[in-house]
mmCIF file of all heavy atoms in Angstrom:
data_model
loop_
_atom_site.group_PDB
_atom_site.id
_atom_site.type_symbol
_atom_site.label_atom_id
_atom_site.label_comp_id
_atom_site.label_asym_id
_atom_site.label_seq_id
_atom_site.Cartn_x
_atom_site.Cartn_y
_atom_site.Cartn_z
ATOM 1 N N ARG A 200 -10.919 9.130 61.689
ATOM 2 C CA ARG A 200 -9.783 9.216 60.768
ATOM 3 C C ARG A 200 -9.712 10.599 60.108
ATOM 4 O O ARG A 200 -8.620 11.140 59.895
ATOM 5 C CB ARG A 200 -9.939 8.138 59.701
ATOM 6 C CG ARG A 200 -8.923 8.196 58.583
ATOM 7 C CD ARG A 200 -7.624 7.612 59.036
ATOM 8 N NE ARG A 200 -6.590 7.743 58.041
ATOM 9 C CZ ARG A 200 -5.463 7.074 58.062
ATOM 10 N NH1 ARG A 200 -5.244 6.214 59.046
ATOM 11 N NH2 ARG A 200 -4.561 7.240 57.141
ATOM 12 N N ASP A 201 -10.856 11.184 59.803
ATOM 13 C CA ASP A 201 -10.873 12.509 59.180
ATOM 14 C C ASP A 201 -10.256 13.558 60.102
ATOM 15 O O ASP A 201 -9.497 14.435 59.646
ATOM 16 C CB ASP A 201 -12.315 12.907 58.835
ATOM 17 C CG ASP A 201 -12.918 12.030 57.764
ATOM 18 O OD1 ASP A 201 -12.259 11.832 56.728
ATOM 19 O OD2 ASP A 201 -14.040 11.534 57.964
ATOM 20 N N TYR A 202 -10.570 13.469 61.381
ATOM 21 C CA TYR A 202 -10.000 14.435 62.340
ATOM 22 C C TYR A 202 -8.494 14.221 62.500
ATOM 23 O O TYR A 202 -7.732 15.188 62.599
ATOM 24 C CB TYR A 202 -10.697 14.300 63.691
ATOM 25 C CG TYR A 202 -12.103 14.829 63.685
ATOM 26 C CD1 TYR A 202 -13.184 13.982 63.438
ATOM 27 C CD2 TYR A 202 -12.363 16.179 63.912
ATOM 28 C CE1 TYR A 202 -14.486 14.470 63.417
ATOM 29 C CE2 TYR A 202 -13.653 16.675 63.894
ATOM 30 C CZ TYR A 202 -14.719 15.813 63.646
ATOM 31 O OH TYR A 202 -15.993 16.303 63.626
ATOM 32 N N LEU A 203 -8.075 12.966 62.513
ATOM 33 C CA LEU A 203 -6.644 12.687 62.637
ATOM 34 C C LEU A 203 -5.877 13.213 61.435
ATOM 35 O O LEU A 203 -4.758 13.733 61.572
ATOM 36 C CB LEU A 203 -6.420 11.178 62.790
ATOM 37 C CG LEU A 203 -6.972 10.547 64.075
ATOM 38 C CD1 LEU A 203 -6.763 9.036 64.077
ATOM 39 C CD2 LEU A 203 -6.317 11.165 65.310
ATOM 40 N N ASP A 204 -6.474 13.106 60.237
ATOM 41 C CA ASP A 204 -5.825 13.617 59.033
ATOM 42 C C ASP A 204 -5.680 15.139 59.071
ATOM 43 O O ASP A 204 -4.793 15.700 58.413
ATOM 44 C CB ASP A 204 -6.626 13.217 57.786
ATOM 45 C CG ASP A 204 -6.526 11.732 57.489
ATOM 46 O OD1 ASP A 204 -5.596 11.081 57.989
ATOM 47 O OD2 ASP A 204 -7.402 11.222 56.751
ATOM 48 N N LEU A 205 -6.547 15.793 59.823
ATOM 49 C CA LEU A 205 -6.542 17.259 59.872
ATOM 50 C C LEU A 205 -5.648 17.829 60.967
ATOM 51 O O LEU A 205 -5.392 19.035 60.988
ATOM 52 C CB LEU A 205 -7.973 17.782 60.075
ATOM 53 C CG LEU A 205 -8.931 17.590 58.899
ATOM 54 C CD1 LEU A 205 -10.348 17.959 59.308
ATOM 55 C CD2 LEU A 205 -8.495 18.429 57.701
ATOM 56 N N LEU A 206 -5.166 16.979 61.879
ATOM 57 C CA LEU A 206 -4.394 17.492 63.004
ATOM 58 C C LEU A 206 -3.092 18.165 62.554
ATOM 59 O O LEU A 206 -2.728 19.235 63.052
ATOM 60 C CB LEU A 206 -4.091 16.373 64.001
ATOM 61 C CG LEU A 206 -5.268 15.901 64.859
ATOM 62 C CD1 LEU A 206 -4.833 14.750 65.767
ATOM 63 C CD2 LEU A 206 -5.814 17.056 65.695
ATOM 64 N N GLY A 207 -2.388 17.530 61.612
ATOM 65 C CA GLY A 207 -1.139 18.121 61.118
ATOM 66 C C GLY A 207 -1.358 19.472 60.454
ATOM 67 O O GLY A 207 -0.734 20.468 60.836
ATOM 68 N N PRO A 208 -2.245 19.545 59.443
ATOM 69 C CA PRO A 208 -2.523 20.859 58.838
ATOM 70 C C PRO A 208 -3.043 21.890 59.841
ATOM 71 O O PRO A 208 -2.774 23.081 59.699
ATOM 72 C CB PRO A 208 -3.587 20.536 57.780
ATOM 73 C CG PRO A 208 -3.374 19.106 57.446
ATOM 74 C CD PRO A 208 -2.913 18.465 58.714
ATOM 75 N N ALA A 209 -3.789 21.428 60.849
ATOM 76 C CA ALA A 209 -4.338 22.362 61.832
ATOM 77 C C ALA A 209 -3.232 23.077 62.610
ATOM 78 O O ALA A 209 -3.414 24.221 63.035
ATOM 79 C CB ALA A 209 -5.261 21.624 62.805
ATOM 80 N N VAL A 210 -2.096 22.418 62.786
ATOM 81 C CA VAL A 210 -0.969 23.067 63.460
ATOM 82 C C VAL A 210 -0.518 24.293 62.663
ATOM 83 O O VAL A 210 -0.249 25.360 63.231
ATOM 84 C CB VAL A 210 0.196 22.076 63.641
ATOM 85 C CG1 VAL A 210 1.434 22.789 64.184
ATOM 86 C CG2 VAL A 210 -0.207 20.941 64.581
ATOM 87 N N GLY A 211 -0.444 24.126 61.333
ATOM 88 C CA GLY A 211 -0.067 25.256 60.490
ATOM 89 C C GLY A 211 -1.072 26.382 60.550
ATOM 90 O O GLY A 211 -0.713 27.563 60.611
ATOM 91 N N VAL A 212 -2.370 26.042 60.529
ATOM 92 C CA VAL A 212 -3.419 27.058 60.623
ATOM 93 C C VAL A 212 -3.304 27.811 61.947
ATOM 94 O O VAL A 212 -3.376 29.047 61.988
ATOM 95 C CB VAL A 212 -4.810 26.412 60.492
ATOM 96 C CG1 VAL A 212 -5.907 27.447 60.730
ATOM 97 C CG2 VAL A 212 -4.985 25.788 59.117
ATOM 98 N N LEU A 213 -3.120 27.070 63.034
ATOM 99 C CA LEU A 213 -2.989 27.695 64.353
ATOM 100 C C LEU A 213 -1.765 28.596 64.407
ATOM 101 O O LEU A 213 -1.813 29.708 64.941
ATOM 102 C CB LEU A 213 -2.899 26.612 65.431
ATOM 103 C CG LEU A 213 -2.701 27.138 66.860
ATOM 104 C CD1 LEU A 213 -3.967 27.813 67.364
ATOM 105 C CD2 LEU A 213 -2.291 25.999 67.802
ATOM 106 N N PHE A 214 -0.678 28.125 63.832
ATOM 107 C CA PHE A 214 0.587 28.861 63.882
ATOM 108 C C PHE A 214 0.444 30.227 63.227
ATOM 109 O O PHE A 214 0.811 31.266 63.798
ATOM 110 C CB PHE A 214 1.665 28.027 63.186
ATOM 111 C CG PHE A 214 3.062 28.511 63.429
ATOM 112 C CD1 PHE A 214 3.567 28.607 64.714
ATOM 113 C CD2 PHE A 214 3.883 28.837 62.374
ATOM 114 C CE1 PHE A 214 4.855 29.036 64.945
ATOM 115 C CE2 PHE A 214 5.175 29.271 62.593
ATOM 116 C CZ PHE A 214 5.663 29.367 63.878
ATOM 117 N N ILE A 215 -0.111 30.241 62.003
ATOM 118 C CA ILE A 215 -0.267 31.502 61.288
ATOM 119 C C ILE A 215 -1.315 32.385 61.964
ATOM 120 O O ILE A 215 -1.118 33.590 62.149
ATOM 121 C CB ILE A 215 -0.646 31.239 59.821
ATOM 122 C CG1 ILE A 215 0.561 30.684 59.075
ATOM 123 C CG2 ILE A 215 -1.133 32.512 59.137
ATOM 124 C CD1 ILE A 215 1.761 31.599 59.044
ATOM 125 N N GLY A 216 -2.449 31.792 62.335
ATOM 126 C CA GLY A 216 -3.492 32.571 63.001
ATOM 127 C C GLY A 216 -3.014 33.165 64.307
ATOM 128 O O GLY A 216 -3.317 34.320 64.636
ATOM 129 N N PHE A 217 -2.239 32.407 65.060
ATOM 130 C CA PHE A 217 -1.720 32.869 66.347
ATOM 131 C C PHE A 217 -0.725 34.014 66.151
ATOM 132 O O PHE A 217 -0.792 35.038 66.843
ATOM 133 C CB PHE A 217 -1.065 31.699 67.073
ATOM 134 C CG PHE A 217 -0.392 32.071 68.371
ATOM 135 C CD1 PHE A 217 -1.086 32.722 69.371
ATOM 136 C CD2 PHE A 217 0.939 31.757 68.581
ATOM 137 C CE1 PHE A 217 -0.469 33.057 70.569
ATOM 138 C CE2 PHE A 217 1.568 32.082 69.769
ATOM 139 C CZ PHE A 217 0.861 32.734 70.767
ATOM 140 N N ALA A 218 0.183 33.850 65.187
ATOM 141 C CA ALA A 218 1.189 34.889 64.950
ATOM 142 C C ALA A 218 0.535 36.195 64.516
ATOM 143 O O ALA A 218 0.888 37.279 64.991
ATOM 144 C CB ALA A 218 2.186 34.412 63.890
ATOM 145 N N GLU A 219 -0.450 36.106 63.604
ATOM 146 C CA GLU A 219 -1.117 37.311 63.114
ATOM 147 C C GLU A 219 -1.940 37.974 64.227
ATOM 148 O O GLU A 219 -1.880 39.190 64.420
ATOM 149 C CB GLU A 219 -2.026 36.958 61.936
ATOM 150 C CG GLU A 219 -2.666 38.165 61.273
ATOM 151 C CD GLU A 219 -3.506 37.790 60.066
ATOM 152 O OE1 GLU A 219 -3.439 36.634 59.628
ATOM 153 O OE2 GLU A 219 -4.232 38.660 59.573
ATOM 154 N N GLY A 220 -2.709 37.180 64.964
ATOM 155 C CA GLY A 220 -3.535 37.727 66.031
ATOM 156 C C GLY A 220 -2.724 38.293 67.174
ATOM 157 O O GLY A 220 -3.072 39.336 67.739
ATOM 158 N N LEU A 221 -1.627 37.623 67.513
ATOM 159 C CA LEU A 221 -0.791 38.099 68.619
ATOM 160 C C LEU A 221 -0.167 39.448 68.273
ATOM 161 O O LEU A 221 -0.068 40.336 69.135
ATOM 162 C CB LEU A 221 0.301 37.073 68.931
ATOM 163 C CG LEU A 221 1.168 37.346 70.162
ATOM 164 C CD1 LEU A 221 0.332 37.322 71.431
ATOM 165 C CD2 LEU A 221 2.303 36.326 70.260
ATOM 166 N N GLY A 222 0.243 39.610 67.017
ATOM 167 C CA GLY A 222 0.795 40.897 66.602
ATOM 168 C C GLY A 222 -0.210 42.021 66.756
ATOM 169 O O GLY A 222 0.111 43.101 67.252
ATOM 170 N N ALA A 223 -1.460 41.775 66.334
ATOM 171 C CA ALA A 223 -2.504 42.789 66.469
ATOM 172 C C ALA A 223 -2.802 43.080 67.935
ATOM 173 O O ALA A 223 -2.952 44.237 68.345
ATOM 174 C CB ALA A 223 -3.775 42.321 65.761
ATOM 175 N N ALA A 224 -2.886 42.025 68.750
ATOM 176 C CA ALA A 224 -3.197 42.192 70.175
ATOM 177 C C ALA A 224 -2.113 43.013 70.878
ATOM 178 O O ALA A 224 -2.406 43.931 71.663
ATOM 179 C CB ALA A 224 -3.350 40.828 70.842
ATOM 180 N N LYS A 225 -0.854 42.717 70.592
ATOM 181 C CA LYS A 225 0.237 43.436 71.243
ATOM 182 C C LYS A 225 0.283 44.907 70.813
ATOM 183 O O LYS A 225 0.598 45.780 71.622
ATOM 184 C CB LYS A 225 1.572 42.748 70.921
ATOM 185 C CG LYS A 225 1.789 41.453 71.690
ATOM 186 C CD LYS A 225 3.167 40.877 71.416
ATOM 187 C CE LYS A 225 3.449 39.674 72.297
ATOM 188 N NZ LYS A 225 4.795 39.106 72.045
ATOM 189 N N THR A 226 -0.039 45.154 69.556
ATOM 190 C CA THR A 226 -0.020 46.530 69.060
ATOM 191 C C THR A 226 -0.967 47.411 69.858
ATOM 192 O O THR A 226 -0.600 48.504 70.320
ATOM 193 C CB THR A 226 -0.400 46.560 67.575
ATOM 194 O OG1 THR A 226 0.574 45.827 66.830
ATOM 195 C CG2 THR A 226 -0.467 47.993 67.059
ATOM 196 N N TYR A 227 -2.196 46.942 70.057
ATOM 197 C CA TYR A 227 -3.187 47.769 70.738
ATOM 198 C C TYR A 227 -3.061 47.699 72.253
ATOM 199 O O TYR A 227 -3.452 48.633 72.947
ATOM 200 C CB TYR A 227 -4.590 47.400 70.242
ATOM 201 C CG TYR A 227 -4.819 47.991 68.884
ATOM 202 C CD1 TYR A 227 -4.431 47.304 67.747
ATOM 203 C CD2 TYR A 227 -5.320 49.273 68.744
ATOM 204 C CE1 TYR A 227 -4.559 47.865 66.483
ATOM 205 C CE2 TYR A 227 -5.449 49.854 67.497
ATOM 206 C CZ TYR A 227 -5.075 49.144 66.374
ATOM 207 O OH TYR A 227 -5.188 49.718 65.135
ATOM 208 N N ALA A 228 -2.499 46.628 72.772
ATOM 209 C CA ALA A 228 -2.222 46.572 74.205
ATOM 210 C C ALA A 228 -1.157 47.604 74.581
ATOM 211 O O ALA A 228 -1.250 48.264 75.619
ATOM 212 C CB ALA A 228 -1.769 45.172 74.603
ATOM 213 N N ALA A 229 -0.141 47.741 73.722
ATOM 214 C CA ALA A 229 0.911 48.720 73.991
ATOM 215 C C ALA A 229 0.344 50.141 74.002
ATOM 216 O O ALA A 229 0.733 50.978 74.816
ATOM 217 C CB ALA A 229 2.015 48.593 72.944
ATOM 218 N N ARG A 230 -0.596 50.413 73.112
ATOM 219 C CA ARG A 230 -1.187 51.750 73.048
ATOM 220 C C ARG A 230 -2.048 52.041 74.280
ATOM 221 O O ARG A 230 -2.120 53.189 74.730
ATOM 222 C CB ARG A 230 -2.041 51.882 71.780
ATOM 223 C CG ARG A 230 -1.227 51.822 70.499
ATOM 224 C CD ARG A 230 -2.119 51.990 69.282
ATOM 225 N NE ARG A 230 -1.357 51.854 68.053
ATOM 226 C CZ ARG A 230 -1.880 51.968 66.840
ATOM 227 N NH1 ARG A 230 -3.183 52.229 66.706
ATOM 228 N NH2 ARG A 230 -1.121 51.820 65.769
ATOM 229 N N ALA A 231 -2.704 51.004 74.798
ATOM 230 C CA ALA A 231 -3.615 51.211 75.929
ATOM 231 C C ALA A 231 -2.944 50.965 77.274
ATOM 232 O O ALA A 231 -3.568 51.173 78.314
ATOM 233 C CB ALA A 231 -4.832 50.299 75.783
ATOM 234 N N GLY A 232 -1.696 50.493 77.270
ATOM 235 C CA GLY A 232 -0.958 50.343 78.515
ATOM 236 C C GLY A 232 -1.269 49.099 79.322
ATOM 237 O O GLY A 232 -1.258 49.143 80.551
ATOM 238 N N TYR A 233 -1.555 47.995 78.660
ATOM 239 C CA TYR A 233 -1.706 46.728 79.384
ATOM 240 C C TYR A 233 -0.907 45.655 78.657
ATOM 241 O O TYR A 233 -0.359 45.904 77.578
ATOM 242 C CB TYR A 233 -3.179 46.334 79.521
ATOM 243 C CG TYR A 233 -3.898 46.035 78.228
ATOM 244 C CD1 TYR A 233 -4.003 44.732 77.741
ATOM 245 C CD2 TYR A 233 -4.510 47.048 77.491
ATOM 246 C CE1 TYR A 233 -4.669 44.458 76.559
ATOM 247 C CE2 TYR A 233 -5.181 46.787 76.309
ATOM 248 C CZ TYR A 233 -5.260 45.481 75.843
ATOM 249 O OH TYR A 233 -5.923 45.206 74.679
ATOM 250 N N SER A 234 -0.797 44.472 79.240
ATOM 251 C CA SER A 234 0.050 43.431 78.667
ATOM 252 C C SER A 234 -0.782 42.284 78.111
ATOM 253 O O SER A 234 -1.938 42.091 78.487
ATOM 254 C CB SER A 234 1.034 42.896 79.721
ATOM 255 O OG SER A 234 0.318 42.341 80.806
#
């Protein structure tokens, strides 16, 4: 039950973490010439 209660909030954590990390990854990939 504890894990099920955390699934909804975990989506928000993933969403923000993914958006922030993807921005950083794309920034340096563009500088180094890969995708």
Side-chain angles (χ1 to χ4, degrees):
R200 174 78 185 195
D201 294 311
Y202 288 94
L203 294 177
D204 289 341
L205 291 172
L206 286 178
V210 173
V212 174
L213 178 71
F214 193 58
I215 288 299
F217 175 55
E219 185 177 350
L221 187 64
K225 285 185 174 180
T226 297
Y227 284 87
R230 294 181 183 181
Y233 65 94
S234 60

